[in-house]
Amino acid sequence: MYFEEHDAIFTALVAVLAIVGSYLAGVRGAKIQAKSGQDQASAARDAAEIAAEAQHVAALWNARQAQVAEFIRSVRELRRTSDHLFFSEEEGLLESAYNAYQEMHLRKVEIELTALKDVVDAADAVTKMAEAYWKYAHTGGPVMVADLALQQLGLGVDDYETMRAASRARRALTAEGISFMERRQALLDVPGLSRVHAARLALNTEDPGPSIEESKTAVGRLLDQKLAALVDVARTMLRSEDDVAPAVPPQRRWWQRASA
């Protein structure tokens, strides 16, 4: 054999093959390590994306929960401050009701920016009904306050003449065929009733007590219904019945993207 006769050449060839084999093995190993490094980097990016998305979903859920709660609180505060206008003319009540009205609208804008459409629509319905309640407090409230003043004068056990005048005025308010001027004069004849209160009652064509209270109750009932509807859709948006953490949208892993 040739290599048996030339063992020096054979020895040199074996050495060359060993070097070439070692080189090829190194190249393959480097490629495997590089591929492994790329896979690890891709997996790390996926993990970072999932974590960021989870944080975004959790932050959005928290924001929605807080904004709906604050909006409902502002509506209830508007109703509470509006209720005072039906029973008192104390200084500062009108300003308090207006401030509550402004805050409700601010809270509604926050909901419009983040909540689902069903929740935004429900909040809009609540806002309209709360506005109606607030506006009615400004029109019906002063009349009811004047009526309460007339009632108190009619109950004065120490002043019989005042009681009789208040009783006549009350009959004039509810009698048919009585003109505005006749009602006004009957009211002005009541000692202790202010001209402002007399004018308010004279302009009102119905018995103030029942008519205003019934209207106030009716608007309040509608507001309660709109609030209940808002709570229902908000609980659906927040998945309140699921008793689970906010869901993270599904992510495509690196091997799924590579095969796509």
Side-chain angles (χ1 to χ4, degrees):
M1 296 293 292
Y2 178 81
F3 287 116
E4 291 177 351
E5 296 175 355
H6 301 82
D7 57 334
I9 296 176
F10 177 76
T11 300
L13 181 60
V14 169
V16 171
L17 291 176
I19 294 172
V20 172
S22 177
Y23 171 77
L24 293 176
V27 171
R28 179 174 178 80
K31 288 183 177 180
I32 292 174
Q33 288 180 351
K35 183 64 168 60
S36 177
Q38 292 174 355
D39 292 346
Q40 291 177 357
S42 181
R45 286 194 299 270
D46 283 338
E49 290 175 3
I50 294 172
E53 185 65 20
Q55 291 177 352
H56 170 73
V57 170
L60 181 60
W61 187 90
N62 289 333
R64 285 171 170 175
Q65 183 188 45
Q67 288 165 359
V68 171
E70 282 299 308
F71 175 72
I72 293 174
R73 183 199 60 77
S74 70
V75 171
R76 290 174 176 167
E77 178 64 12
L78 176 60
R79 182 172 183 173
R80 186 188 69 81
T81 54
S82 297
D83 280 340
H84 290 319
L85 301 180
F86 288 96
F87 304 104
S88 174
E89 293 177 308
E90 182 181 343
E91 185 178 356
L93 291 181
L94 284 172
E95 182 180 0
S96 295
Y98 179 74
N99 290 339
Y101 173 83
Q102 292 287 87
E103 183 182 5
M104 179 189 69
H105 277 278
L106 174 63
R107 300 303 181 185
K108 179 175 178 289
V109 170
E110 293 175 348
I111 286 180
E112 290 173 345
L113 294 175
T114 60
L116 299 179
K117 185 177 183 303
D118 288 346
V119 176
V120 173
D121 291 343
D124 185 61
V126 170
T127 300
K128 290 178 180 178
M129 195 53 59
E131 283 182 348
Y133 194 89
W134 177 72
K135 289 177 181 178
Y136 189 66
H138 283 72
T139 56
V143 179
M144 180 171 279
V145 170
D147 185 63
L148 290 174
L150 179 61
Q151 288 182 36
Q152 291 173 355
L153 292 170
L155 296 175
V157 295
D158 297 331
D159 190 342
Y160 183 69
E161 289 302 321
T162 299
M163 291 175 60
R164 290 186 60 187
S167 179
R168 289 194 298 267
R170 175 67 64 189
R171 288 195 298 270
L173 289 176
T174 57
E176 295 183 1
I178 303 296
S179 67
F180 164 76
M181 294 303 296
E182 291 173 318
R183 290 197 304 273
R184 180 174 179 273
Q185 188 56 54
L187 290 161
L188 290 175
D189 290 341
V190 180
L193 188 67
S194 70
R195 298 179 69 87
V196 172
H197 287 167
R200 290 175 183 170
L201 291 170
L203 287 169
N204 193 68
T205 57
E206 298 179 294
D207 188 0
S211 62
I212 293 176
E213 184 62 34
E214 288 173 5
S215 298
K216 172 178 173 288
T217 300
V219 177
R221 186 181 302 113
L222 290 173
L223 177 56
D224 288 337
Q225 292 173 0
K226 300 301 183 183
L227 275 170
L230 170 62
V231 170
D232 285 343
V233 294
R235 286 177 63 84
T236 299
M237 176 183 69
L238 298 172
R239 299 180 62 187
S240 299
E241 300 296 335
D242 292 352
D243 194 26
V244 296
V248 179
Q251 302 286 323
R252 295 185 69 188
R253 301 297 185 261
W254 63 268
W255 59 81
Q256 294 172 322
R257 291 199 297 263
S259 62

